[in-house]
Amino acid sequence: AARGAGGAGPERGSRGGAAMDLFGDLRRMNKRQLYYQVLNFAMIVSSALMIWKGLIVVTGSESPIVVVLSGSMEPAFHRGDLLFLTNFHDDPIRAGEIVVFKVEGRDIPIVHRVIKVHEKGNGNIKFLTKGDNNEVDDRGLYKEGQNWLEKKDVVGRARGFLPYVGMVTIIMNDYPKFKYALLAVMGAYVLLKRES
């Protein structure tokens, strides 16, 4: 009965008032409702993980979706573009193809174009990459003493993209507080959402 128009005093607009409302809502839920909401949240998380693992199996790539983090591939791809990858080992790597590769000593995969391919008679392939917007090839990015990439270095090959959809990921990486606030809001929403 205290949640009408008269309850909107100055303390309601403060951060402390919002936190008290959240804890008040949690206290009013009975245990069964709380367990149901926690289970609902766990189902959402496990469903997302199952979809991700399914994409890994279908695409053959350990990372089937990646976000472009730099402008080195402009104008083909811009910062924040979401790339869809496949990595079928039977597909040959050809010059002009855009690959995502990971090299020793670097945690973040790199999205660049293959500019040269050396194919040996025994089927071994070595290739060189370069960002479309870069002046020089990627030999400076490879591990020390490495002049060429091999198929084992490839995480995936770009098959499609959605422009700028990955900007949310970039913002969350650049501003960690925003990421934690967004996760807290989403978690609170799932826990407090009641069936209508």
Side-chain angles (χ1 to χ4, degrees):
R3 301 195 79 175
E11 70 278 3
R12 289 270 181 204
S14 70
R15 224 184 293 176
M20 292 303 289
D21 281 350
L22 177 65
F23 290 121
D25 283 348
L26 282 173
R27 262 187 255 121
R28 279 189 287 279
M29 277 186 182
N30 65 33
K31 285 184 179 179
R32 186 176 186 160
Q33 281 177 318
L34 186 61
Y35 291 148
Y36 175 77
Q37 298 299 45
V38 169
L39 189 61
N40 195 17
F41 183 71
M43 294 264 298
I44 290 169
V45 171
S46 61
S47 295
L49 287 172
M50 285 191 296
I51 290 169
W52 183 255
K53 291 296 185 183
L55 281 172
I56 289 172
V57 170
V58 169
T59 62
S61 173
E62 68 186 58
S63 189
I65 300 171
V66 295
V67 175
V68 178
L69 298 177
S70 74
S72 66
M73 278 302 292
E74 291 179 3
F77 298 123
H78 293 85
R79 192 168 189 252
D81 288 354
L82 196 70
L83 298 183
F84 301 101
L85 311 178
T86 62
N87 194 23
F88 303 118
H89 291 284
D90 296 340
D91 291 349
I93 292 175
R94 297 288 175 234
E97 186 175 23
I98 296 170
V99 296
V100 177
F101 62 92
K102 211 171 185 180
V103 290
E104 210 174 288
R106 292 184 180 268
D107 294 333
I108 299 171
I110 299 167
V111 180
H112 281 174
R113 190 178 302 276
V114 175
I115 58 170
K116 289 182 183 175
V117 178
H118 287 287
E119 203 166 345
K120 295 185 177 178
N122 63 2
N124 285 348
I125 294 175
K126 292 189 176 193
F127 56 94
L128 181 64
T129 55
K130 177 185 171 296
D132 290 356
N133 202 21
N134 292 349
E135 295 293 323
V136 296
D137 62 44
D138 291 341
R139 286 188 173 123
L141 298 176
Y142 304 160
K143 73 177 180 183
E144 194 175 330
Q146 183 179 7
N147 291 321
W148 302 91
L149 292 177
E150 297 177 27
K151 269 192 167 185
K152 67 177 176 55
D153 300 313
V154 175
V155 173
R157 300 125 184 259
R159 299 299 185 206
F161 77 103
L162 285 174
Y164 302 112
V165 175
M167 282 308 288
V168 175
T169 304
I170 291 174
I171 290 168
M172 286 197 299
N173 282 338
D174 290 350
Y175 305 101
K177 288 180 182 175
F178 174 75
K179 174 172 57 177
Y180 298 127
L182 186 64
L183 288 172
V185 167
M186 286 171 45
Y189 173 76
V190 170
L191 286 173
L192 297 175
K193 187 184 77 169
R194 290 184 175 88
E195 291 296 313
S196 44

Coordinates of all heavy atoms in Angstrom, one line a residue, residues 33-110:
Q33 N 9.2 -18.9 -5.1 CA 9.4 -18.0 -6.2 C 10.9 -17.7 -6.5 O 11.3 -17.6 -7.6 CB 8.7 -16.6 -5.9 CG 7.2 -16.7 -6.1 CD 6.6 -15.3 -5.7 OE1 7.0 -14.7 -4.6 NE2 5.7 -14.8 -6.4
L34 N 11.7 -17.5 -5.4 CA 13.1 -17.2 -5.5 C 13.8 -18.4 -6.2 O 14.6 -18.1 -7.1 CB 13.7 -16.9 -4.2 CG 15.1 -16.4 -4.2 CD1 15.3 -15.1 -5.0 CD2 15.7 -16.2 -2.8
Y35 N 13.5 -19.6 -5.8 CA 14.1 -20.8 -6.4 C 13.8 -20.8 -7.9 O 14.6 -21.2 -8.8 CB 13.7 -22.0 -5.7 CG 14.3 -22.2 -4.3 CD1 13.6 -22.9 -3.4 CD2 15.5 -21.7 -4.0 CE1 14.1 -23.0 -2.1 CE2 16.0 -21.9 -2.7 CZ 15.3 -22.5 -1.8 OH 15.8 -22.7 -0.5
Y36 N 12.5 -20.5 -8.2 CA 12.0 -20.6 -9.6 C 12.8 -19.5 -10.4 O 13.2 -19.9 -11.5 CB 10.5 -20.3 -9.7 CG 10.0 -20.2 -11.1 CD1 9.8 -21.3 -11.8 CD2 9.8 -18.9 -11.6 CE1 9.3 -21.2 -13.1 CE2 9.3 -18.8 -12.9 CZ 9.1 -20.0 -13.7 OH 8.7 -19.9 -15.0
Q37 N 13.0 -18.3 -9.9 CA 13.7 -17.3 -10.7 C 15.2 -17.7 -10.8 O 15.7 -17.4 -11.9 CB 13.6 -15.9 -10.0 CG 12.1 -15.4 -9.9 CD 11.4 -15.2 -11.2 OE1 11.5 -16.1 -12.1 NE2 10.7 -14.1 -11.4
V38 N 15.8 -18.2 -9.8 CA 17.2 -18.6 -9.9 C 17.3 -19.7 -11.0 O 18.3 -19.7 -11.8 CB 17.8 -19.1 -8.5 CG1 19.1 -19.7 -8.7 CG2 17.9 -17.9 -7.6
L39 N 16.4 -20.7 -10.9 CA 16.4 -21.8 -11.9 C 16.2 -21.2 -13.3 O 16.8 -21.7 -14.3 CB 15.3 -22.8 -11.6 CG 15.3 -24.1 -12.4 CD1 16.6 -24.9 -12.1 CD2 14.1 -25.0 -12.0
N40 N 15.3 -20.3 -13.5 CA 15.1 -19.6 -14.8 C 16.3 -19.0 -15.3 O 16.7 -19.1 -16.5 CB 13.9 -18.6 -14.6 CG 13.4 -18.1 -15.9 OD1 13.5 -18.8 -16.9 ND2 12.7 -17.0 -15.9
F41 N 17.1 -18.3 -14.4 CA 18.3 -17.6 -14.8 C 19.4 -18.7 -15.2 O 20.1 -18.5 -16.2 CB 18.8 -16.8 -13.6 CG 20.1 -16.0 -13.9 CD1 20.0 -14.9 -14.8 CD2 21.3 -16.4 -13.3 CE1 21.2 -14.2 -15.0 CE2 22.4 -15.7 -13.6 CZ 22.4 -14.6 -14.5
A42 N 19.4 -19.8 -14.5 CA 20.4 -20.8 -14.8 C 20.0 -21.5 -16.2 O 20.9 -21.8 -16.9 CB 20.4 -21.9 -13.7
M43 N 18.7 -21.6 -16.5 CA 18.3 -22.2 -17.7 C 18.7 -21.2 -18.9 O 19.2 -21.7 -19.9 CB 16.8 -22.3 -17.8 CG 16.3 -23.4 -16.8 SD 16.1 -25.0 -17.5 CE 14.8 -24.7 -18.7
I44 N 18.6 -19.9 -18.7 CA 19.0 -19.0 -19.8 C 20.5 -19.1 -20.0 O 21.0 -19.2 -21.2 CB 18.6 -17.5 -19.3 CG1 17.1 -17.4 -19.4 CG2 19.3 -16.5 -20.3 CD1 16.6 -16.1 -18.7
V45 N 21.3 -19.1 -18.9 CA 22.8 -19.2 -19.1 C 23.2 -20.6 -19.8 O 24.0 -20.6 -20.7 CB 23.5 -19.1 -17.7 CG1 25.0 -19.4 -17.8 CG2 23.3 -17.7 -17.2
S46 N 22.6 -21.7 -19.3 CA 22.9 -23.0 -19.9 C 22.5 -23.1 -21.4 O 23.2 -23.7 -22.2 CB 22.4 -24.1 -19.1 OG 21.0 -24.1 -19.0
S47 N 21.3 -22.5 -21.7 CA 20.9 -22.5 -23.1 C 21.9 -21.7 -24.0 O 22.2 -22.2 -25.1 CB 19.5 -21.8 -23.2 OG 18.5 -22.6 -22.5
A48 N 22.3 -20.6 -23.5 CA 23.3 -19.8 -24.2 C 24.6 -20.6 -24.5 O 25.2 -20.6 -25.6 CB 23.6 -18.5 -23.5
L49 N 25.0 -21.3 -23.4 CA 26.3 -22.1 -23.6 C 26.1 -23.3 -24.6 O 26.9 -23.6 -25.3 CB 26.7 -22.7 -22.2 CG 27.3 -21.6 -21.3 CD1 27.5 -22.2 -19.9 CD2 28.6 -21.1 -21.8
M50 N 24.9 -23.9 -24.5 CA 24.6 -25.0 -25.5 C 24.6 -24.5 -26.9 O 25.1 -25.1 -27.8 CB 23.2 -25.7 -25.1 CG 23.4 -26.6 -23.9 SD 21.9 -27.6 -23.6 CE 20.6 -26.4 -23.3
I51 N 24.0 -23.3 -27.1 CA 23.9 -22.7 -28.5 C 25.4 -22.4 -28.9 O 25.7 -22.7 -30.1 CB 23.1 -21.4 -28.5 CG1 21.6 -21.8 -28.3 CG2 23.3 -20.7 -29.8 CD1 20.7 -20.6 -28.1
W52 N 26.2 -21.9 -28.1 CA 27.6 -21.6 -28.4 C 28.3 -22.9 -28.8 O 29.0 -22.9 -29.8 CB 28.3 -20.8 -27.2 CG 29.7 -20.4 -27.5 CD1 30.8 -21.0 -27.1 CD2 30.1 -19.4 -28.4 NE1 31.9 -20.4 -27.6 CE2 31.5 -19.4 -28.4 CE3 29.4 -18.4 -29.2 CZ2 32.3 -18.5 -29.1 CZ3 30.2 -17.5 -29.9 CH2 31.6 -17.5 -29.9
K53 N 28.2 -23.9 -27.9 CA 28.9 -25.2 -28.2 C 28.4 -25.8 -29.5 O 29.1 -26.4 -30.3 CB 28.7 -26.1 -27.1 CG 29.5 -25.7 -25.8 CD 31.0 -25.7 -26.0 CE 31.7 -25.4 -24.7 NZ 33.1 -25.3 -24.9
G54 N 27.1 -25.7 -29.8 CA 26.5 -26.2 -31.0 C 27.1 -25.5 -32.2 O 27.4 -26.1 -33.2
L55 N 27.3 -24.1 -32.1 CA 27.9 -23.4 -33.2 C 29.3 -23.8 -33.5 O 29.8 -23.9 -34.6 CB 27.8 -21.9 -32.9 CG 26.5 -21.2 -33.1 CD1 26.6 -19.7 -32.6 CD2 26.1 -21.2 -34.6
I56 N 30.0 -24.1 -32.4 CA 31.4 -24.6 -32.5 C 31.4 -25.9 -33.3 O 32.3 -26.1 -34.2 CB 32.1 -24.8 -31.1 CG1 32.3 -23.4 -30.5 CG2 33.4 -25.6 -31.2 CD1 32.8 -23.5 -29.1
V57 N 30.5 -26.8 -33.0 CA 30.5 -28.1 -33.8 C 30.1 -27.9 -35.2 O 30.7 -28.4 -36.1 CB 29.5 -29.1 -33.1 CG1 29.3 -30.3 -33.9 CG2 30.0 -29.4 -31.7
V58 N 29.1 -27.1 -35.5 CA 28.6 -26.9 -36.8 C 29.6 -26.1 -37.7 O 29.8 -26.5 -38.9 CB 27.2 -26.1 -36.8 CG1 26.8 -25.6 -38.2 CG2 26.1 -27.0 -36.2
T59 N 30.3 -25.1 -37.2 CA 31.2 -24.3 -38.0 C 32.6 -24.8 -38.0 O 33.4 -24.4 -38.9 CB 31.2 -22.9 -37.4 OG1 31.8 -22.9 -36.1 CG2 29.9 -22.2 -37.5
G60 N 33.0 -25.7 -37.1 CA 34.3 -26.2 -37.1 C 35.3 -25.2 -36.5 O 36.5 -25.4 -36.5
S61 N 34.8 -24.1 -36.0 CA 35.7 -23.0 -35.5 C 35.6 -23.0 -33.9 O 34.5 -23.0 -33.4 CB 35.3 -21.7 -36.1 OG 36.0 -20.6 -35.4
E62 N 36.7 -22.8 -33.2 CA 36.7 -22.7 -31.8 C 36.0 -21.4 -31.3 O 35.6 -21.2 -30.2 CB 38.1 -22.8 -31.2 CG 39.0 -21.6 -31.6 CD 40.4 -21.8 -31.1 OE1 41.0 -22.7 -31.5 OE2 40.9 -20.9 -30.3
S63 N 35.9 -20.4 -32.3 CA 35.3 -19.2 -32.0 C 34.5 -18.7 -33.2 O 34.9 -18.0 -34.0 CB 36.4 -18.1 -31.6 OG 35.8 -17.0 -31.2
P64 N 33.2 -19.2 -33.3 CA 32.4 -19.0 -34.5 C 32.0 -17.6 -34.7 O 31.6 -17.2 -35.8 CB 31.2 -19.9 -34.4 CG 31.2 -20.3 -32.9 CD 32.5 -20.1 -32.3
I65 N 32.0 -16.7 -33.7 CA 31.6 -15.3 -33.8 C 32.6 -14.5 -33.1 O 33.0 -14.7 -32.0 CB 30.2 -15.1 -33.2 CG1 29.1 -16.0 -33.9 CG2 29.8 -13.6 -33.3 CD1 27.8 -15.9 -33.2
V66 N 33.2 -13.5 -33.9 CA 34.2 -12.6 -33.3 C 33.8 -11.1 -33.6 O 33.1 -10.9 -34.5 CB 35.6 -12.9 -33.8 CG1 36.1 -14.2 -33.3 CG2 35.7 -12.7 -35.3
V67 N 34.3 -10.2 -32.8 CA 34.1 -8.8 -33.0 C 35.4 -8.2 -33.5 O 36.5 -8.5 -33.0 CB 33.7 -8.1 -31.7 CG1 33.6 -6.6 -31.9 CG2 32.4 -8.7 -31.2
V68 N 35.3 -7.4 -34.5 CA 36.5 -6.7 -35.0 C 36.9 -5.6 -34.1 O 36.0 -4.7 -33.8 CB 36.2 -6.1 -36.4 CG1 37.4 -5.3 -37.0 CG2 35.9 -7.2 -37.4
L69 N 38.1 -5.6 -33.5 CA 38.5 -4.7 -32.5 C 39.3 -3.5 -32.9 O 39.5 -2.5 -32.2 CB 39.3 -5.4 -31.4 CG 38.5 -6.5 -30.6 CD1 39.4 -7.2 -29.6 CD2 37.3 -6.0 -29.9
S70 N 39.8 -3.5 -34.2 CA 40.6 -2.4 -34.6 C 40.2 -2.0 -36.1 O 39.4 -2.7 -36.7 CB 42.1 -2.8 -34.7 OG 42.4 -3.7 -35.7
G71 N 40.8 -0.9 -36.6 CA 40.5 -0.5 -37.9 C 41.4 -1.0 -39.0 O 41.4 -0.4 -40.1
S72 N 42.2 -2.0 -38.7 CA 43.2 -2.5 -39.6 C 42.6 -3.1 -40.9 O 43.3 -3.3 -41.9 CB 44.1 -3.5 -38.9 OG 43.4 -4.7 -38.6
M73 N 41.3 -3.5 -40.9 CA 40.7 -4.1 -42.1 C 39.8 -3.1 -42.8 O 39.0 -3.6 -43.7 CB 40.0 -5.4 -41.7 CG 40.9 -6.6 -41.6 SD 41.8 -6.9 -43.1 CE 40.5 -7.5 -44.2
E74 N 39.8 -1.9 -42.4 CA 38.9 -0.9 -43.1 C 39.4 -0.8 -44.6 O 40.6 -0.8 -44.8 CB 38.9 0.4 -42.4 CG 38.2 0.4 -41.1 CD 38.2 1.7 -40.3 OE1 38.7 2.7 -40.9 OE2 37.7 1.7 -39.2
P75 N 38.6 -0.6 -45.6 CA 37.1 -0.4 -45.5 C 36.3 -1.8 -45.5 O 35.1 -1.7 -45.5 CB 36.8 0.4 -46.8 CG 37.9 -0.1 -47.7 CD 39.1 -0.4 -46.9
A76 N 37.0 -2.9 -45.6 CA 36.2 -4.2 -45.7 C 35.4 -4.4 -44.4 O 34.2 -4.7 -44.4 CB 37.2 -5.4 -45.9
F77 N 36.1 -4.3 -43.2 CA 35.4 -4.4 -41.9 C 35.8 -3.2 -41.0 O 36.9 -2.8 -41.1 CB 35.8 -5.7 -41.2 CG 35.4 -6.9 -42.0 CD1 36.3 -7.9 -42.3 CD2 34.1 -7.2 -42.3 CE1 36.0 -9.0 -43.0 CE2 33.7 -8.3 -43.0 CZ 34.7 -9.2 -43.4
H78 N 34.8 -2.7 -40.3 CA 35.1 -1.6 -39.4 C 35.1 -2.1 -37.9 O 34.6 -3.2 -37.6 CB 34.0 -0.5 -39.5 CG 34.1 0.1 -40.9 ND1 33.5 -0.4 -42.0 CD2 34.7 1.3 -41.3 CE1 33.7 0.4 -43.0 NE2 34.5 1.4 -42.6
R79 N 35.6 -1.3 -37.0 CA 35.7 -1.6 -35.6 C 34.2 -1.8 -35.1 O 33.4 -1.0 -35.4 CB 36.3 -0.4 -34.9 CG 36.7 -0.7 -33.5 CD 37.6 0.3 -32.9 NE 38.1 -0.1 -31.6 CZ 37.7 0.4 -30.5 NH1 36.8 1.4 -30.4 NH2 38.2 0.0 -29.3
G80 N 34.0 -2.9 -34.5 CA 32.6 -3.2 -34.0 C 31.8 -4.1 -34.8 O 30.7 -4.5 -34.5
D81 N 32.3 -4.4 -36.0 CA 31.6 -5.4 -36.9 C 31.6 -6.8 -36.3 O 32.6 -7.2 -35.7 CB 32.2 -5.4 -38.3 CG 31.9 -4.2 -39.1 OD1 31.1 -3.3 -38.6 OD2 32.4 -4.1 -40.2
L82 N 30.6 -7.5 -36.4 CA 30.5 -8.9 -35.9 C 30.7 -9.8 -37.0 O 30.0 -9.8 -38.1 CB 29.1 -9.1 -35.3 CG 28.9 -10.3 -34.4 CD1 29.6 -10.0 -33.1 CD2 27.4 -10.5 -34.1
L83 N 31.7 -10.7 -36.9 CA 32.0 -11.7 -38.0 C 31.6 -13.1 -37.7 O 31.7 -13.5 -36.5 CB 33.6 -11.7 -38.2 CG 34.3 -10.4 -38.7 CD1 35.7 -10.7 -38.9 CD2 33.6 -9.8 -39.9
F84 N 31.1 -13.8 -38.7 CA 30.7 -15.2 -38.6 C 31.8 -16.0 -39.3 O 32.1 -15.7 -40.4 CB 29.3 -15.4 -39.2 CG 28.2 -14.6 -38.6 CD1 27.8 -13.4 -39.2 CD2 27.7 -14.9 -37.3 CE1 26.8 -12.6 -38.6 CE2 26.7 -14.1 -36.7 CZ 26.3 -13.0 -37.4
L85 N 32.3 -17.0 -38.5 CA 33.4 -17.7 -39.0 C 33.1 -19.2 -39.2 O 32.3 -19.8 -38.5 CB 34.6 -17.7 -38.1 CG 35.0 -16.3 -37.5 CD1 36.2 -16.4 -36.6 CD2 35.4 -15.4 -38.7
T86 N 33.8 -19.8 -40.2 CA 33.8 -21.3 -40.3 C 35.3 -21.7 -40.3 O 36.2 -20.8 -40.7 CB 33.1 -21.8 -41.5 OG1 33.8 -21.3 -42.7 CG2 31.6 -21.4 -41.5
N87 N 35.6 -22.9 -40.1 CA 37.0 -23.4 -40.1 C 37.0 -24.9 -40.5 O 37.5 -25.7 -39.7 CB 37.7 -23.1 -38.8 CG 39.2 -23.2 -39.0 OD1 39.7 -23.1 -40.1 ND2 39.9 -23.5 -37.9
F88 N 36.6 -25.2 -41.7 CA 36.6 -26.6 -42.1 C 38.0 -26.9 -42.7 O 38.5 -26.2 -43.6 CB 35.5 -26.8 -43.2 CG 34.1 -26.5 -42.7 CD1 33.4 -25.5 -43.3 CD2 33.6 -27.2 -41.6 CE1 32.1 -25.2 -42.8 CE2 32.4 -26.9 -41.1 CZ 31.6 -25.9 -41.7
H89 N 38.7 -27.9 -42.2 CA 40.1 -28.1 -42.5 C 40.3 -28.6 -44.0 O 41.4 -28.5 -44.5 CB 40.7 -29.1 -41.5 CG 40.9 -28.5 -40.2 ND1 41.9 -27.6 -39.9 CD2 40.2 -28.6 -39.0 CE1 41.8 -27.2 -38.6 NE2 40.7 -27.8 -38.1
D90 N 39.2 -29.1 -44.6 CA 39.3 -29.5 -46.0 C 39.4 -28.3 -47.0 O 39.9 -28.4 -48.1 CB 38.2 -30.4 -46.4 CG 38.2 -31.7 -45.6 OD1 39.3 -32.1 -45.0 OD2 37.2 -32.4 -45.5
D91 N 38.8 -27.2 -46.5 CA 38.8 -26.0 -47.4 C 40.2 -25.4 -47.6 O 40.9 -25.2 -46.6 CB 37.9 -24.9 -46.8 CG 36.4 -25.3 -46.9 OD1 36.1 -26.3 -47.5 OD2 35.6 -24.5 -46.2
P92 N 40.7 -25.2 -48.8 CA 42.0 -24.7 -49.0 C 42.0 -23.2 -48.6 O 41.1 -22.5 -48.8 CB 42.3 -24.9 -50.5 CG 40.9 -25.0 -51.1 CD 40.0 -25.5 -50.1
I93 N 43.2 -22.7 -48.2 CA 43.4 -21.3 -47.9 C 43.9 -20.7 -49.2 O 44.9 -21.2 -49.7 CB 44.3 -21.1 -46.7 CG1 43.6 -21.6 -45.4 CG2 44.7 -19.7 -46.6 CD1 44.5 -21.6 -44.2
R94 N 43.3 -19.6 -49.6 CA 43.6 -18.9 -50.8 C 43.9 -17.5 -50.6 O 43.4 -16.8 -49.6 CB 42.5 -19.0 -51.8 CG 42.1 -20.4 -52.2 CD 43.2 -21.0 -53.1 NE 43.0 -22.4 -53.5 CZ 43.9 -23.3 -53.3 NH1 45.0 -23.1 -52.7 NH2 43.6 -24.6 -53.6
A95 N 44.8 -16.9 -51.4 CA 45.1 -15.5 -51.3 C 43.8 -14.7 -51.6 O 43.0 -15.0 -52.4 CB 46.2 -15.1 -52.4
G96 N 43.7 -13.6 -50.8 CA 42.5 -12.8 -50.9 C 41.4 -13.1 -49.8 O 40.6 -12.3 -49.5
E97 N 41.5 -14.3 -49.2 CA 40.6 -14.7 -48.2 C 40.9 -14.0 -46.9 O 42.0 -13.7 -46.5 CB 40.7 -16.2 -48.0 CG 39.7 -16.8 -47.1 CD 39.8 -18.4 -47.1 OE1 40.9 -18.9 -47.4 OE2 38.8 -19.0 -46.7
I98 N 39.8 -13.7 -46.1 CA 40.0 -13.0 -44.8 C 39.9 -14.1 -43.7 O 39.0 -14.9 -43.7 CB 38.9 -12.0 -44.6 CG1 39.1 -10.9 -45.6 CG2 39.0 -11.4 -43.2 CD1 38.0 -9.9 -45.6
V99 N 41.0 -14.2 -42.9 CA 41.1 -15.2 -41.9 C 41.3 -14.6 -40.5 O 41.7 -13.4 -40.4 CB 42.3 -16.2 -42.1 CG1 42.1 -17.0 -43.4 CG2 43.6 -15.5 -42.1
V100 N 40.9 -15.3 -39.5 CA 41.1 -14.9 -38.1 C 42.1 -15.9 -37.6 O 41.9 -17.1 -37.7 CB 39.8 -15.0 -37.3 CG1 40.1 -14.6 -35.9 CG2 38.7 -14.1 -37.9
F101 N 43.3 -15.4 -37.1 CA 44.3 -16.2 -36.7 C 44.8 -15.8 -35.3 O 44.6 -14.7 -34.8 CB 45.5 -16.2 -37.6 CG 46.2 -14.9 -37.8 CD1 47.2 -14.5 -37.0 CD2 45.7 -14.0 -38.8 CE1 47.8 -13.3 -37.2 CE2 46.3 -12.8 -39.0 CZ 47.4 -12.4 -38.2
K102 N 45.4 -16.8 -34.6 CA 45.9 -16.6 -33.3 C 47.4 -17.0 -33.3 O 47.7 -18.1 -33.8 CB 45.2 -17.4 -32.3 CG 45.0 -16.9 -30.9 CD 44.0 -17.7 -30.1 CE 43.8 -17.1 -28.8 NZ 42.9 -17.9 -28.0
V103 N 48.2 -16.1 -32.7 CA 49.7 -16.4 -32.7 C 50.1 -16.5 -31.2 O 49.5 -15.9 -30.4 CB 50.5 -15.4 -33.5 CG1 50.3 -15.5 -34.9 CG2 50.3 -14.0 -33.0
E104 N 51.2 -17.3 -31.0 CA 51.7 -17.5 -29.7 C 52.1 -16.2 -29.1 O 52.8 -15.3 -29.8 CB 53.0 -18.4 -29.8 CG 53.2 -19.2 -28.6 CD 54.4 -20.2 -28.9 OE1 54.2 -21.2 -29.7 OE2 55.5 -20.0 -28.3
G105 N 51.8 -15.9 -27.9 CA 52.1 -14.7 -27.2 C 51.1 -13.6 -27.3 O 51.2 -12.6 -26.6
R106 N 50.0 -13.9 -28.1 CA 48.9 -12.9 -28.2 C 47.6 -13.6 -27.8 O 47.3 -14.6 -28.4 CB 48.8 -12.3 -29.6 CG 50.0 -11.4 -30.0 CD 49.8 -10.8 -31.3 NE 50.9 -10.0 -31.7 CZ 50.9 -8.7 -31.5 NH1 49.9 -8.1 -30.9 NH2 52.0 -8.0 -31.8
D107 N 46.9 -13.0 -26.9 CA 45.6 -13.6 -26.4 C 44.5 -13.3 -27.4 O 43.6 -14.2 -27.6 CB 45.2 -13.0 -25.1 CG 46.2 -13.4 -24.0 OD1 46.8 -14.5 -24.1 OD2 46.3 -12.7 -23.0
I108 N 44.5 -12.2 -28.1 CA 43.4 -11.8 -28.9 C 43.6 -12.2 -30.4 O 44.7 -11.9 -30.9 CB 43.1 -10.3 -28.8 CG1 42.8 -9.9 -27.4 CG2 42.0 -9.8 -29.7 CD1 42.7 -8.4 -27.1
P109 N 42.7 -12.9 -31.0 CA 42.8 -13.3 -32.4 C 42.9 -12.0 -33.3 O 42.3 -11.0 -32.9 CB 41.6 -14.1 -32.7 CG 41.1 -14.5 -31.4 CD 41.4 -13.4 -30.4
I110 N 43.5 -12.1 -34.5 CA 43.6 -11.0 -35.4 C 42.9 -11.4 -36.7 O 42.9 -12.5 -37.2 CB 45.1 -10.8 -35.7 CG1 45.9 -10.4 -34.4 CG2 45.3 -9.7 -36.8 CD1 47.4 -10.5 -34.5

